Amino acid sequence: MAVTKPSSGPDPILLTLFANRFMSVAEAMGRSLQQTSISTNIKERLDFSCALFAPDGDLVANAPFIPIHLGSMSFAVKYQMNLHGKELKDGDVLMTNSPHAGGSHLPDITIITPVFDQGTNEIIFFTASRGHHADIGGILPGSMPPTDAEIVSLKIVDGGVFDKKGLYEYMVDKPAQYPGSSGCRNIKDVESDLKRDSLLIRVSKQIAANHKGVQLIRAIVDDYSLETVQEYMYHIRTNAENSVRSLLRDVVKQSGTNVLSAVDYLDDGTPIQLKVEIDEEEGSAVLDFEGTGCEVRGNLNAPISVVHSAVIYCMRAMLNVDIPLNAGCLVPIEIKIPTKSILSPSRTAAVCGGNVLTSQRIVDVVLKAFHACAASQGCTKMAVAIAGWGYYETIAGGSGGGSGWHGTSGVHTHITNTRIGDVEILERRYPVLIHRFGLRPGSAGKGKWNGGDGVIREFEVMQGMQVSILSERRTRAPYGMAGGEPAMMGRNTWIKQRRTEDGDVPEETSNEDLGPRHINIGGKATVFMGKGDRLLIETPGGGGWGRPDEGQLETTNEHEHAWEARGSFAERAAVQAGF
């Protein structure tokens, strides 16, 4: 259904009202999704996003979830619209995870539900949710290799009937057909986290969250009429567009030039290069990534949808106004991506790491070009698995300082925005023991405004298991800006117990005579760790801003506060205390 553009300007009160009503729909979807899920990634780490989309597939509003999801989900919605056309009917729900079809990477499963007008039976909105599932099959835990389950489009609910057989085919049977590959290692978590209480077993995650959004959208339409709701949907997008145009004009005035440029490199030396040309009169810009390196053999290639996610996040982050992240932020922006590059890889290229690592470097390059802030730690991912289960987490670090503020220590930066798993939950559910988890003192870049410190996370495996690490900023430090110093690089160390069967205990000595081996496994590795082995992960800090001698060097950052209880148990106690 086409959206009719309004002929008059918006009422400012109604504009704010509808912006918050739309955002509240996404927030309610997110609460439903978290509360009914069973997987650690959704319930504890909050690695999911919910959003509302226009009938043309453009992003309308979202809650503050995961930016890398939100910017790319519009591509997924539009792909499914073009694929299914008018075949969709009320009660249908679509499932996809393919980067070729607007996905970010394969473990991120997107559920899309069309919202039909109950009078005309036309699509008036879409609700969508995207959640990270710790394992969807493949040769390694965490589902990063190319033999994982790829789903271009599956009608997971057809006219209200859940397709359990189709889910098992894609998640279990197809990945297992490759030599050395496994089907989903925790299919019950995935199934429960996807389905909704119809006549099935119970209410659970993503489909239920979408259904909640459908109900709330129809309630808003009942309150204000479809014409008014869609009129203000358009006004909200126009408001975001105008805000970005004003930002671009201000950048030209402050920098004294309409041409900006920046380059940064992945740890393997691949350049991410950007040139920005701003048309001050129009308030528009062309972001040209010409000069970026070619696609790589590993999984650091980034789909085009991920590039757009990074750019729309940067545009919204640089705005000093409170508006929902939506498609209007990209209307003044033209993005040029060279073909056959790491940002526009071939159909069969592996892209899983590009979603979380390369995307962070794109963000750093865009913010560097606009002279917005110093580099952040990027992202560190770890996955562990043995037969029957798998666990995955992203680990915090330091954010970069900027003109007028210190970076933040021990935080997920930019477009990841997830939590890390609570220690007590992790140790209760999985055979691991956390020995250390805290800030990494001295890892931040110094400056007039310091960067944030990274973190140290050390865990011991209580039985033999496969461990994978995927990280950046291990050979290239997060840079400072305006004279600020770079932060420390990260490091991943395998503390391996010596074992005769492994060949690392000399015959003339006993195991007690030697301590454990300390092995730097690099930024990207998969190792089989035996009982008692430890993995010590030290994440980078954020770069500093401004020369340290330009002002009094702060020994503590302004963001540091007295300790307070955090985590799922603390939140539950706070909610109970509020009744």
Side-chain angles (χ1 to χ4, degrees), residues 340-419:
K340 300 181 180 180
S341 70
I342 192 174
L343 306 183
S344 180
S346 59
R347 176 69 176 82
T348 56
V351 298
C352 204
N355 175 65
V356 288
L357 300 185
T358 307
S359 61
Q360 292 279 12
R361 201 56 51 87
I362 298 169
V363 168
D364 278 342
V365 169
V366 174
L367 296 179
K368 184 179 183 181
F370 280 86
H371 211 63
C373 64
S376 73
Q377 71 108 4
C379 183
T380 299
K381 303 173 61 172
M382 182 202 70
V384 297
I386 57 176
W389 65 268
Y391 173 72
Y392 161 99
E393 68 181 16
T394 53
I395 303 174
S399 67
S403 180
W405 74 87
H406 294 295
T408 305
S409 299
V411 66
H412 285 79
T413 53
H414 296 311
I415 50 181
T416 48
N417 197 37
T418 59
R419 290 181 183 174

Side-chain angles (χ1 to χ4, degrees), residues 231-284:
E231 177 182 351
Y232 276 87
M233 174 185 68
Y234 177 80
H235 283 314
I236 289 169
R237 289 193 287 183
T238 302
N239 186 39
E241 174 189 344
N242 292 336
S243 298
V244 172
R245 292 189 188 277
S246 297
L247 167 71
L248 295 172
R249 295 187 182 103
D250 290 342
V251 168
V252 174
K253 293 175 182 177
Q254 293 173 10
S255 63
T257 178
N258 70 328
V259 179
L260 313 171
S261 62
V263 63
D264 198 6
Y265 300 85
L266 298 174
D267 280 355
D268 65 1
T270 299
I272 307 293
Q273 190 162 325
L274 173 64
K275 180 180 179 181
V276 181
E277 294 186 78
I278 301 174
D279 185 328
E280 185 177 8
E281 182 177 349
E282 293 288 333
S284 60

Side-chain angles (χ1 to χ4, degrees), residues 447-461:
K448 182 178 181 180
W449 303 98
N450 299 328
D453 282 326
V455 304
I456 297 174
R457 190 164 173 91
E458 181 181 2
F459 74 91
E460 177 182 347
V461 301

Side-chain angles (χ1 to χ4, degrees), residues 266-267 357 361 377-381 395-396 440 455 469-478 488-492 520-524 536-540:
L266 298 174
D267 280 355
L357 300 185
R361 201 56 51 87
Q377 71 108 4
C379 183
T380 299
K381 303 173 61 172
I395 303 174
R440 184 187 181 196
V455 304
I469 191 83
L470 191 61
S471 58
E472 276 282 317
R473 299 288 188 196
R474 267 52 181 176
T475 65
R476 297 177 184 271
M488 290 179 63
M489 294 180 289
R491 183 170 52 207
N492 307 317
N520 186 335
I521 61 175
K524 302 161 189 68
L536 173 62
I537 300 173
E538 300 167 278
T539 66

Side-chain angles (χ1 to χ4, degrees), residues 491-521:
R491 183 170 52 207
N492 307 317
T493 306
W494 178 14
I495 303 175
K496 182 184 182 302
Q497 302 298 324
R498 296 178 182 269
R499 301 179 183 85
T500 303
E501 60 270 24
D502 293 341
D504 50 13
V505 178
E507 294 182 0
E508 62 276 10
T509 62
S510 64
N511 197 16
E512 290 74 18
D513 296 333
L514 301 171
R517 298 172 59 190
H518 287 67
I519 307 169
N520 186 335
I521 61 175

Side-chain angles (χ1 to χ4, degrees), residues 103-382:
S104 42
H105 62 179
L106 295 179
D108 286 343
I109 296 178
T110 304
I111 301 295
I112 301 167
T113 304
V115 184
F116 286 85
D117 179 75
Q118 293 179 309
T120 64
N121 205 34
E122 292 185 321
I123 294 176
I124 56 174
F125 282 97
F126 287 92
T127 60
S129 57
R130 178 172 288 179
H132 186 103
H133 297 262
D135 197 283
I136 57 167
I139 61 174
L140 294 178
S143 296
M144 298 295 167
T147 51
D148 308 337
E150 180 178 9
I151 304 168
V152 174
S153 183
L154 169 66
K155 194 174 285 188
I156 187 70
V157 179
D158 189 351
V161 180
F162 184 77
D163 186 4
K164 182 175 181 178
K165 182 179 179 181
L167 178 66
Y168 269 73
E169 178 184 354
Y170 277 100
M171 303 294 291
V172 178
D173 297 338
K174 288 190 175 182
Q177 68 185 355
Y178 297 96
S181 183
S182 168
C184 179
R185 297 169 178 84
N186 45 2
I187 183 63
K188 292 188 182 297
D189 280 13
V190 174
E191 180 186 354
S192 177
D193 283 351
L194 285 173
K195 66 186 179 183
R196 168 193 120 185
D197 186 8
S198 180
L199 292 173
L200 296 170
I201 301 174
R202 58 183 175 178
V203 179
S204 265
K205 213 166 83 179
Q206 287 180 255
I207 300 173
N210 286 16
H211 184 65
K212 180 71 173 179
V214 172
Q215 293 174 318
L216 292 174
I217 281 296
R218 284 176 173 162
I220 296 174
V221 171
D222 289 342
D223 288 344
Y224 293 96
S225 81
L226 178 60
E227 181 181 359
T228 301
V229 170
Q230 292 197 326
E231 177 182 351
Y232 276 87
M233 174 185 68
Y234 177 80
H235 283 314
I236 289 169
R237 289 193 287 183
T238 302
N239 186 39
E241 174 189 344
N242 292 336
S243 298
V244 172
R245 292 189 188 277
S246 297
L247 167 71
L248 295 172
R249 295 187 182 103
D250 290 342
V251 168
V252 174
K253 293 175 182 177
Q254 293 173 10
S255 63
T257 178
N258 70 328
V259 179
L260 313 171
S261 62
V263 63
D264 198 6
Y265 300 85
L266 298 174
D267 280 355
D268 65 1
T270 299
I272 307 293
Q273 190 162 325
L274 173 64
K275 180 180 179 181
V276 181
E277 294 186 78
I278 301 174
D279 185 328
E280 185 177 8
E281 182 177 349
E282 293 288 333
S284 60
V286 176
L287 276 65
D288 191 349
F289 287 92
E290 187 64 41
T292 294
C294 62
E295 70 175 62
V296 296
R297 182 175 178 270
N299 63 6
L300 295 186
N301 303 289
I304 290 177
S305 60
V306 166
V307 180
H308 282 72
S309 288
V311 172
I312 194 174
Y313 161 78
C314 291
M315 295 299 110
R316 174 61 187 88
M318 290 188 287
L319 291 177
N320 193 27
V321 292
D322 186 16
I323 61 171
L325 176 71
N326 63 72
C329 294
L330 282 185
V331 172
I333 305 296
E334 179 184 355
I335 301 174
K336 293 184 177 180
I337 303 173
T339 58
K340 300 181 180 180
S341 70
I342 192 174
L343 306 183
S344 180
S346 59
R347 176 69 176 82
T348 56
V351 298
C352 204
N355 175 65
V356 288
L357 300 185
T358 307
S359 61
Q360 292 279 12
R361 201 56 51 87
I362 298 169
V363 168
D364 278 342
V365 169
V366 174
L367 296 179
K368 184 179 183 181
F370 280 86
H371 211 63
C373 64
S376 73
Q377 71 108 4
C379 183
T380 299
K381 303 173 61 172
M382 182 202 70

